Amino acid sequence: MTSILTYTFKTLPSTSQWAFRFSIRPLSCSSQLQAAPAAQPKSKKTLAKPNLRNIVVVDGVRIPFLLSGTSYKDLMPHDLARAALSGLLQRTSVPKEVVDYIIFGTVIQEVKTSNVAREAALGAGFSDKTPAHTVTMACISSNQAMTTGVGLIASGQSDVVVAGGVELMSDIPIRHSRKMRKMMLDLNKAKTLGQRLSLISKFRLNFLAPELPAVAEFSTNETMGHSADRLAAAFAVSRLEQDEYALRSHSLAKKAQDEGLLSDVVPFKVPGRDTVTKDNGIRPSSLEQMGKLKPAFVKPYGTVTAANSSFLTDGASAMLIMAEEKALAMGYKPKAYLRDFVYVSQDPKDQLLLGPTYATPKVLEKAGLTMNDIDAFEFHEAFSGQILANFKAMDSDWFAQNYMGRKAKVGAPPLEKFNNWGGSLSLGHPFGATGCRLVMAAAHRLRKEGGQFGLVAACAAGGQGHAMIVEAYPK
Amino acid sequence: MVASRAIGILRRFSNASRTLRCPGYICRNFTRSSALLSRTHINYGLKGDVAVVRINSPNSKVNTLNKELQAEFIEVMNEIWANDQVRSAVLISAKPGCFVAGADINMIASCKTPEEVRELSQEGQRMFEKLEKSTKPIVAAISGSCLGGGLELAISCQYRIATKDKKTVLGVPEVLLGLLPGAGGTQRLPKLVSIPSAFDMMLTGRNIRADRAKRMGLVDQLVEPLGPGIKPPEERTVEYLEEVAVTFAKGLADKKISLKRNKGLMERLTSFAMSIPFVREQVYKRVEEQVRKQTKGLYPAPLRIIDVVKTGLEQGKEAGYLAESQKFGELAMTKESKALIGLYHGQVVCKKNKFGTPQKEVKHLSVLGAGLMGAGIAQVSVDKGIKTTLKDATLGGLSRGQQQVFKGLNDKVKKKALTSFERDFIFSNLTGQLDYQGFEKSDMVIEAVFEDLNLKHKVLKEVEAVIPEHCIFASNTSALPINEIAAVSKRPEKVIGMHYFSPVDKMQLLEIITTEKTSKDTSASAVAVGLRQGKVIIVVKDGPGFYTTRCLAPMMSEVLRILQEGVGPKKLDSLTTSFGFPVGAATLVDEVGVDVAKHVSEDLGKAFGERFGGGSPELLKQMVSKGFLGRKSGKGFYVYQEGVKSKNLNSDMDSVLAGLQMPPKAEVSSDEDIQYRLVTRFVNEAALCLQEGILATPAEGDIGAVFGLGFPPCLGGPFRFVDLFGAQKVVDRLRKYEAAYGKQFTPCQLLIDHANSPNKKFYQ
């Protein structure tokens, strides 16, 4: 019966914005029927694998995510990372000397602290005997930090790893131009006054033009927002659908914040300012208000606006990962297992933001699960249009067959289980720190809602993507 | 200031007139005799109060403006104008990759009188004027080529939206066919874009990409092409273009969108300057001077275009339209136009693979020898995505070749035709090496080593020892017979000649030489590779000098004789360029290389004997012994210095020429005679190639001569020249010179046959 309904709805013209809602409704209905906690038969009881160490998240924290240019604007990136690390120490009371390794993800690097993980760890009072390194993989940098940690533990190199991520968009490295830099370096080497003068005489005013970090994709020269707008158009996602989705994200985030569900947030006493306790980017508005905004990238007729995109954010997150036996030996009650994960990559021009579409079926296959087994979806929301385009791509047999080399679609996630406590659109998206937030949100939701498996997925610049299965730790 | 900019733009004109790039006239033989029961070219539907008009020429990959399409279009537009529910319209093509590629060239070619053509032009003018005056706004949604009549259609609409795609190009290439934009284009374009830009477009016929068109004001909005989504990218992009165009059409009807464009400072200054009659007068003058200088008065179309634009701007629209249609009618009847249209048809034929699809696509190409030619071949291959291995004997030679490829690509980056990322990506298709490692993966090997039979034999044997069974061996040689090269091959059916022209990335021609043993699949594969490299291809039979070199040799021999008769190199150059050759004859010897010329003339002299005589071989020998090898050695007939543009005569040549002086024969030494002595020898040899079966068709002969050797495009190639000039006249000329010089001018049988029966034409 449901399948007949589903079929009927699917044949509706797909351009209508209603069709989209309908086409996922039946799916969600059917799964909701089975979704009653505990009653749902899972494909697998657990994802534990023989002869492999179980890896657990003991706990994870983040400082409040703030719109860039607000309370964190005078700080440096390692200050934020330090605050997250201190918060983690406080929350878990882990003895510093047991931490074997520290890994942080970041995207825009402050040149003074290029290995921000090390500077933050020293500053946060971790042992100077604990090595630390920094990874970068655009918006999935902290995912990379976590999975690097998972690798270290799984291979027996470490037992206790701290993984995290940080981003400070309030301050970015703006450089002198190449010509100016060259002149300054040459001046450094010049030995005589004559040499110096002759170098200085070559100075031209245009040497002073600054060089900004690229906002555009290096390989295609296209900004991400522009690509998102094209992606939304390619999947015929309307402006209204995007605004509705953004509104949903903000409303759910507000609700979660008000109900105190965002328990991974630790307060941060900013030097010289008040203590920051809450994310400040959550602003549920109205569709009318949002409808008034002009397109931000494809002017004047595009659909991606400031209101349905994630905003520039400052923030940091950190997480304590351990081998299960170690955590238990130390008397911890872990929150979740980190299970199978995948990284994917595709065309950085036309499929820049389709990472979740590619990663989801792959990670499910790897774990031996189906979409129905997943109780909590936590996807990174770069843009409303990107999320909705991913839904349509995941729900399209044509796309799966022609672009992903799969026999059939994986299906779109039911909205009822999707980013229920808000997402990057509303909570904010400090590039390097979002991954840990996603995992903690999934872990906390599973505990709260009684589910077993969570699916975390994200897209990233460069046309890359990531997905990971999070399994709730039995209570 | 503005005038000088206009001139700067026009400087490129001479190149454009020489090579036909993408003519706006497309030939379609399809005609429909049945009554107009249902519409086959145009259909339309309503989206709310917006009529979406879709153009779709049946049974064709492109849309062409012909009588049926025009009739249906007028019918549809009348319905739209009469329908009260419709408030605006969108004009779009139902074909991906083509908006409207131009007017039907056969429609014009079939006209017998200027009046008939004028009538066609006036019909077009009337139709487009109605569009221009439409009270319901019309939006042209452009994806793919929008050329000639297609662009004239688009600029008659109130608003233009184009996809920012590499396939989307706008232009008025009529001038390349010896015509002018005859449906109001000469009148609208100068008003839409600035006068200098309009002249540039019309006089060069260049294709303009969408982003540049937006900057110029030629289109109002751009739509980015989409990637894969709910449908294949091309399909969804066109759908999206239509959606966007519909919103703009609505906006225009509701007066929410203004038709006014924000002009930049330069643009405003230009249009202000152009409002001053005196400035305009100066522009016309300078443009005309420039055109005269570059066309040597051999091409009537550019001058008519200037005339018509001027008439429209100075005397008003009515006068402009009248002048446009009259001049259009006149131009369509000129020999030059017929010659250029002939070349266009020939080019279309030479862009097809008559051998069919090869069994195996060439994915991995190896090029032997990283010299000028080898590196050039590698360059045009890597940028089409062919994995290419460049092998040379020395590290120095190899790095020079790799640098040449990189520079070629980097120049495109500087011109913004490529991004630096695309350059690097393309360059990664090239591997350089000094040994034969990895040759077992090659699907084709092209050797471009020094022109020496023993060396070619050596590499052929070396290569055959390492390549797989299916691999083709192609030899890039300008004169060595392929069957002699193939003589040492274990599998002569896989050996073929591929004669590229220097510089490879600029010259469009590729001459493919098949021997009697070359298999059909080998030919198919060579042509397929050539086409991928973007070449115009002629396929000829093997023989000394093949076709192109063989035609050039007797002409070169005549060049030497003329020089020995006391005509200076500068005078000779000016005589040849004023006849329509892009490069003067003496300069050509310097460019080709005196040693190469000597080599070829000796080889072919041996093969063909007295017919290839004329100038004394001693001249070239002495030049080589003195080191005057032409441009590459810095001295030839002229002196070449790095960074110096003006050419000075090589004074050391005076004594050489003086020592070899021959008395000129007064009866055949007028300027005109000198020109015809060169051309008729060329034409006679070309006809012999056809007679002997070296050439398969006259069309290939014309394309080879024009695109490979610079035969005057306005004459359309040696065979078109005979048709248009008259075979009898050519034979008469030859006989006259024969009387003075003997056998070298004896007309071949084929020409005599044509002269004897005036109905016989190379092109029926």
Side-chain angles (χ1 to χ4, degrees):
Chain A
M1 179 64 211
T2 0
S3 65
I4 296 171
L5 266 179
T6 321
Y7 178 75
T8 336
F9 283 124
K10 253 183 255 153
T11 53
L12 280 172
S14 57
T15 40
S16 123
Q17 51 133 338
W18 289 107
F20 162 62
R21 292 166 152 200
F22 278 122
S23 64
I24 58 167
R25 206 58 42 91
L27 264 179
S28 51
C29 285
S30 57
S31 45
Q32 219 176 22
L33 285 177
Q34 308 157 355
Q40 179 179 3
K42 300 283 183 192
S43 308
K44 279 187 169 179
K45 282 217 168 88
T46 170
L47 292 179
K49 287 176 188 162
N51 308 324
L52 257 185
R53 298 176 96 181
N54 282 323
I55 294 157
V56 295
V57 177
V58 172
D59 211 339
V61 299
R62 63 182 177 94
I63 57 170
F65 286 179
L66 301 190
L67 295 161
S68 63
T70 58
S71 298
Y72 300 155
K73 71 176 177 187
D74 297 326
L75 300 178
M76 284 179 65
H78 74 283
D79 292 326
L80 305 194
R82 235 161 19 98
L85 285 171
S86 309
L88 187 69
L89 282 179
Q90 208 170 359
R91 175 85 50 105
T92 60
S93 312
V94 65
K96 288 163 193 171
E97 58 281 359
V98 306
V99 177
D100 297 318
Y101 210 96
I102 298 171
I103 311 158
F104 257 64
T106 196
V107 179
I108 309 260
Q109 274 172 294
E110 162 64 49
V111 284
K112 283 185 191 158
T113 58
S114 59
N115 186 2
V116 68
R118 178 65 174 162
E119 312 310 335
L122 287 173
F126 276 83
S127 158
D128 59 4
K129 303 285 187 296
T130 305
H133 82 261
T134 303
V135 293
T136 186
M137 201 174 179
C139 305
I140 48 178
S141 294
S142 59
N143 305 78
Q144 185 54 261
M146 285 184 287
T147 54
T148 306
V150 168
L152 286 175
I153 297 172
S155 60
Q157 307 302 313
S158 307
D159 290 327
V160 181
V161 172
V162 169
V166 59
E167 206 69 44
L168 182 75
M169 292 304 290
S170 295
D171 181 37
I172 50 171
I174 298 173
R175 296 198 295 181
H176 272 302
S177 69
R178 181 82 189 242
K179 286 175 190 157
M180 186 71 187
R181 286 177 351 237
K182 188 164 180 296
M183 194 177 86
M184 289 159 96
L185 290 171
D186 287 348
L187 267 178
N188 237 355
K189 286 181 204 146
K191 295 213 168 61
T192 65
L193 185 67
Q195 283 177 341
R196 284 196 193 105
L197 284 177
S198 89
L199 272 170
I200 289 171
S201 72
K202 284 181 195 137
F203 174 80
R204 297 288 174 273
L205 215 54
N206 70 5
F207 284 20
L208 290 179
E211 217 175 77
L212 297 163
V215 279
E217 196 70 11
F218 180 75
S219 58
T220 62
N221 246 337
E222 187 183 25
T223 61
M224 196 179 272
H226 198 278
S227 190
D229 206 315
R230 287 196 305 117
L231 185 72
F235 283 94
V237 179
S238 74
R239 165 79 182 267
L240 186 63
E241 283 173 293
Q242 294 180 41
D243 284 353
E244 279 172 347
Y245 182 83
L247 189 56
R248 173 189 187 270
S249 179
H250 279 281
S251 311
L252 291 176
K254 179 90 178 96
K255 191 161 166 269
Q257 194 178 49
D258 290 348
E259 289 173 7
L261 297 172
L262 306 177
S263 57
D264 55 339
V265 177
V266 291
F268 179 18
K269 168 68 182 81
V270 181
R273 289 175 188 260
D274 288 341
T275 303
V276 181
T277 56
K278 284 204 288 190
D279 304 322
N280 72 355
I282 307 172
R283 28 175 196 170
S285 168
S286 67
L287 285 177
E288 293 77 54
Q289 287 280 318
M290 293 168 92
K292 280 182 194 156
L293 282 178
K294 287 197 171 143
F297 301 100
V298 177
K299 295 165 187 169
Y301 54 84
T303 51
V304 173
T305 68
N308 58 37
S309 316
S310 55
F311 47 89
L312 292 181
T313 313
D314 301 337
S317 53
M319 178 187 271
L320 183 61
I321 307 173
M322 291 191 190
E324 185 183 19
E325 70 272 13
K326 177 82 178 177
L328 295 177
M330 288 178 73
Y332 283 117
K333 180 81 189 154
K335 293 226 159 130
Y337 292 107
L338 296 182
R339 297 301 194 188
D340 297 274
F341 63 87
V342 294
Y343 286 92
V344 294
S345 61
Q346 59 282 338
D347 170 22
K349 173 142 188 71
D350 291 328
Q351 305 188 33
L352 182 69
L353 303 172
L354 286 180
T357 300
Y358 282 83
T360 299
K362 232 173 141 180
V363 79
L364 286 175
E365 222 155 67
K366 204 164 172 219
L369 297 179
T370 68
M371 282 296 259
N372 285 336
D373 293 321
I374 305 298
D375 303 300
F377 291 89
E378 278 295 328
F379 278 33
H380 161 51
E381 301 167 343
F383 302 88
S384 280
Q386 166 257 335
I387 285 290
L388 297 175
N390 271 288
F391 283 178
K392 290 202 181 186
M394 291 163 90
D395 206 25
S396 160
D397 280 326
W398 182 84
F399 191 85
Q401 284 154 6
N402 288 285
Y403 286 92
M404 297 168 63
R406 308 188 67 85
K407 285 200 187 86
K409 65 183 183 183
V410 64
L415 216 46
E416 284 76 7
K417 299 179 183 176
F418 192 84
N419 291 9
N420 285 2
W421 295 356
S424 300
L425 285 172
S426 43
L427 300 171
H429 171 41
F431 305 144
T434 290
C436 290
R437 178 188 69 72
L438 292 172
V439 169
M440 287 322 296
H444 285 142
R445 275 180 59 199
L446 290 174
R447 284 172 77 86
K448 171 93 181 155
E449 294 161 2
Q452 189 186 3
F453 295 119
L455 173 62
V456 167
C459 58
Q464 312 212 70
H466 166 76
M468 177 155 71
I469 304 285
V470 177
E471 183 181 342
Y473 200 84
K475 281 183 184 167
Chain B
M1 155 89 209
V2 175
S4 70
R5 274 186 66 211
I7 301 308
I9 293 165
L10 287 171
R11 242 173 235 142
R12 282 160 289 189
F13 173 71
S14 59
N15 286 325
S17 67
R18 240 179 273 140
T19 50
L20 298 177
R21 270 163 301 133
C22 192
Y25 283 82
I26 300 301
C27 167
R28 284 197 330 104
N29 295 317
F30 179 78
T31 48
R32 211 162 45 93
S33 52
S34 65
L36 294 167
L37 289 175
S38 65
R39 296 196 187 104
T40 51
H41 293 70
I42 307 268
N43 63 63
Y44 83 104
L46 293 186
K47 277 199 170 176
D49 57 5
V50 183
V52 178
V53 183
R54 293 191 182 83
I55 309 171
N56 195 1
S57 295
N59 309 327
S60 167
K61 273 188 198 163
V62 294
N63 293 320
T64 43
L65 295 179
N66 57 15
K67 288 190 173 159
E68 292 87 12
L69 189 143
Q70 286 182 15
E72 286 187 18
F73 183 66
I74 291 170
E75 213 177 271
V76 164
M77 287 315 295
N78 283 337
E79 272 180 42
I80 287 169
W81 281 316
N83 187 343
D84 289 338
Q85 285 174 351
V86 177
R87 297 183 60 227
S88 57
V90 167
L91 205 55
I92 194 166
S93 161
K95 294 187 198 298
C98 177
F99 176 68
V100 174
D104 184 352
I105 199 166
N106 285 348
M107 180 171 78
I108 296 160
S110 64
C111 293
K112 298 275 182 291
T113 64
E115 289 72 32
E116 273 180 73
V117 184
R118 193 176 68 200
E119 185 48 42
L120 280 179
S121 158
Q122 283 171 341
E123 259 173 52
Q125 288 176 346
R126 278 194 293 271
M127 175 167 89
F128 292 158
E129 197 171 14
K130 270 181 103 174
L131 283 188
E132 190 181 32
K133 289 187 176 152
S134 168
T135 48
K136 297 178 181 178
I138 304 169
V139 177
I142 302 160
S143 178
S145 46
C146 172
L147 299 171
L151 184 64
E152 294 182 281
L153 168 65
I155 61 175
S156 312
C157 297
Q158 278 69 33
Y159 208 78
R160 281 154 299 281
I161 303 178
T163 50
K164 193 179 158 188
D165 198 306
K166 279 192 175 155
K167 279 186 190 158
T168 300
V169 288
L170 300 95
V172 272
E174 284 87 344
V175 71
L176 301 177
L177 299 178
L179 300 169
L180 53 75
T186 62
Q187 306 303 304
R188 278 187 197 96
L189 214 45
K191 287 182 186 145
L192 188 65
V193 298
S194 66
I195 296 175
S197 312
F199 271 133
D200 173 50
M201 283 179 70
M202 287 190 278
L203 295 176
T204 63
R206 76 173 71 231
N207 283 341
I208 292 174
R209 284 215 304 266
D211 46 351
R212 180 138 183 272
K214 170 82 166 39
R215 285 200 298 277
M216 286 168 64
L218 196 55
V219 301
D220 301 282
Q221 289 294 342
L222 293 180
V223 167
E224 293 278 342
L226 301 180
I230 48 174
K231 285 178 184 170
E234 301 78 29
E235 210 178 303
R236 176 64 194 145
T237 300
V238 171
E239 209 176 81
Y240 178 54
L241 171 68
E242 186 182 306
E243 287 165 17
V244 172
V246 166
T247 48
F248 274 92
K250 278 198 178 113
L252 286 167
D254 296 340
K255 307 247 183 303
K256 276 187 193 153
I257 293 164
S258 141
L259 286 173
K260 265 202 185 153
R261 204 168 63 85
N262 291 331
K263 292 185 172 180
L265 180 66
M266 267 321 285
E267 225 177 310
R268 266 182 287 167
L269 280 178
T270 310
S271 66
F272 170 72
M274 288 301 150
S275 66
I276 307 168
F278 172 75
V279 176
R280 283 204 302 271
E281 209 47 55
Q282 292 306 307
V283 171
Y284 302 141
K285 232 170 85 187
R286 295 289 293 277
V287 170
E288 194 176 321
E289 262 170 38
Q290 199 68 30
V291 164
R292 276 193 197 281
K293 202 173 140 200
Q294 281 169 344
T295 63
K296 319 266 179 205
L298 294 168
Y299 296 83
L303 294 171
R304 299 288 172 280
I305 290 172
I306 300 171
D307 262 7
V308 171
V309 170
K310 189 171 159 185
T311 310
L313 287 174
E314 306 302 326
Q315 295 167 35
K317 213 160 58 175
E318 287 310 310
Y321 278 143
L322 189 65
E324 182 186 88
S325 60
Q326 273 172 348
K327 298 277 155 61
F328 187 66
E330 286 166 23
L331 283 175
M333 295 295 131
T334 55
K335 278 183 188 169
E336 289 81 2
S337 173
K338 290 196 158 60
L340 291 170
I341 290 175
L343 279 178
Y344 166 65
H345 283 305
Q347 202 187 13
V348 172
V349 173
C350 293
K351 283 268 183 192
K352 288 191 180 127
N353 192 345
K354 61 180 172 187
F355 299 100
T357 314
Q359 283 167 13
K360 199 167 187 309
E361 193 195 13
V362 171
K363 288 195 177 129
H364 202 125
L365 178 73
S366 299
V367 179
L368 300 181
L372 217 53
M373 296 303 285
I377 296 167
Q379 189 192 327
V380 297
S381 307
V382 286
D383 68 0
K384 309 301 180 309
I386 305 174
K387 293 265 171 217
T388 305
T389 303
L390 188 60
K391 180 200 172 298
D392 201 274
T394 65
L395 189 61
L398 179 63
S399 12
R400 197 217 60 82
Q402 285 171 312
Q403 181 57 31
Q404 184 189 330
V405 178
F406 182 81
K407 186 174 176 298
L409 296 171
N410 201 37
D411 287 348
K412 288 191 183 172
V413 174
K414 284 184 190 153
K415 285 185 201 148
K416 301 216 166 122
L418 282 181
T419 66
S420 61
F421 179 83
E422 284 167 330
R423 173 200 63 203
D424 299 344
F425 188 74
I426 292 170
F427 196 62
S428 71
N429 284 329
L430 185 76
T431 3
Q433 59 189 52
L434 298 172
D435 52 20
Y436 286 108
Q437 193 197 337
F439 268 55
E440 68 277 3
K441 285 190 200 127
S442 293
D443 301 310
M444 179 183 277
V445 175
I446 301 178
E447 67 79 15
V449 300
F450 189 69
E451 293 268 37
D452 175 81
L453 193 59
N454 292 328
L455 182 60
K456 302 241 180 206
H457 280 166
K458 182 174 160 263
V459 296
L460 174 60
K461 284 186 212 152
E462 282 175 7
V463 166
E464 283 194 347
V466 288
I467 54 176
E469 201 54 40
H470 71 275
C471 181
I472 290 161
F473 182 89
S475 184
N476 172 62
T477 168
S478 55
L480 294 175
I482 303 301
N483 61 39
E484 283 180 27
I485 294 175
V488 299
S489 169
K490 283 184 285 183
R491 36 185 185 179
E493 74 281 1
K494 294 279 183 199
V495 179
I496 196 164
M498 290 174 88
H499 177 199
Y500 290 86
F501 292 75
S502 183
V504 181
D505 58 327
K506 301 266 161 36
M507 295 294 280
Q508 289 192 66
L509 191 71
L510 168 62
E511 183 180 31
I512 288 181
I513 304 105
T514 59
T515 70
E516 277 168 9
K517 289 181 182 157
T518 307
S519 73
K520 189 173 158 257
D521 188 60
T522 302
S523 308
S525 200
V527 174
V529 167
L531 288 177
R532 275 170 80 192
Q533 292 169 333
K535 298 292 169 199
V536 175
I537 296 169
I538 63 171
V539 182
V540 303
K541 285 234 177 77
D542 193 23
F546 324 125
Y547 166 66
T548 49
T549 310
R550 181 172 159 183
C551 286
L552 195 61
M555 189 173 105
M556 280 300 147
S557 179
E558 198 61 25
V559 165
L560 298 184
R561 170 150 62 199
I562 291 165
L563 288 166
Q564 284 176 280
E565 286 179 356
V567 177
K570 278 207 167 162
K571 164 93 189 208
L572 179 59
D573 273 357
S574 109
L575 283 176
T576 33
T577 50
S578 66
F579 198 76
F581 283 94
V583 179
T587 309
L588 185 62
V589 178
D590 277 1
E591 294 287 342
V592 169
V594 177
D595 52 338
V596 176
K598 171 176 163 280
H599 218 81
V600 169
S601 79
E602 281 169 0
D603 280 358
L604 296 187
K606 259 181 242 157
F608 295 106
E610 204 184 332
R611 199 172 75 244
F612 275 46
S616 160
E618 194 54 31
L619 175 54
L620 293 176
K621 257 186 220 158
Q622 287 192 16
M623 285 179 78
V624 171
S625 69
K626 283 186 189 277
F628 300 155
L629 304 182
R631 179 184 283 279
K632 58 184 161 191
S633 70
K635 272 183 179 177
F637 290 108
Y638 295 94
V639 179
Y640 301 90
Q641 278 166 306
E642 196 75 41
V644 180
K645 265 199 174 170
S646 62
K647 280 188 302 188
N648 289 316
L649 280 175
N650 178 5
S651 52
D652 296 339
M653 278 303 294
D654 294 349
S655 61
V656 178
L657 284 169
L660 294 165
Q661 196 148 23
M662 297 199 289
K665 302 194 178 193
E667 70 278 17
V668 288
S669 292
S670 71
D671 284 358
E672 200 193 34
D673 278 323
I674 288 173
Q675 290 172 330
Y676 276 101
R677 273 161 60 188
L678 293 170
V679 174
T680 50
R681 277 192 82 171
F682 189 116
V683 170
N684 195 30
E685 200 60 38
L688 251 174
C689 287
L690 186 63
Q691 184 181 315
E692 291 175 5
I694 296 282
L695 274 178
T697 61
E700 284 177 292
D702 282 346
I703 292 294
V706 172
F707 287 92
L709 305 173
F711 193 89
C714 56
L715 304 180
F719 297 100
R720 179 76 58 180
F721 170 72
V722 173
D723 276 3
L724 292 172
F725 187 75
Q728 186 62 54
K729 278 199 216 163
V730 175
V731 170
D732 288 348
R733 288 259 175 198
L734 281 163
R735 293 281 185 218
K736 177 179 168 190
Y737 305 138
E738 187 186 18
Y741 293 109
K743 259 190 170 175
Q744 291 137 17
F745 285 97
T746 308
C748 71
Q749 193 54 45
L750 188 62
L751 280 180
I752 296 172
D753 290 349
H754 274 245
N756 288 341
S757 48
N759 288 334
K760 244 186 171 172
K761 298 265 184 205
F762 290 110
Y763 294 94
Q764 289 307 327

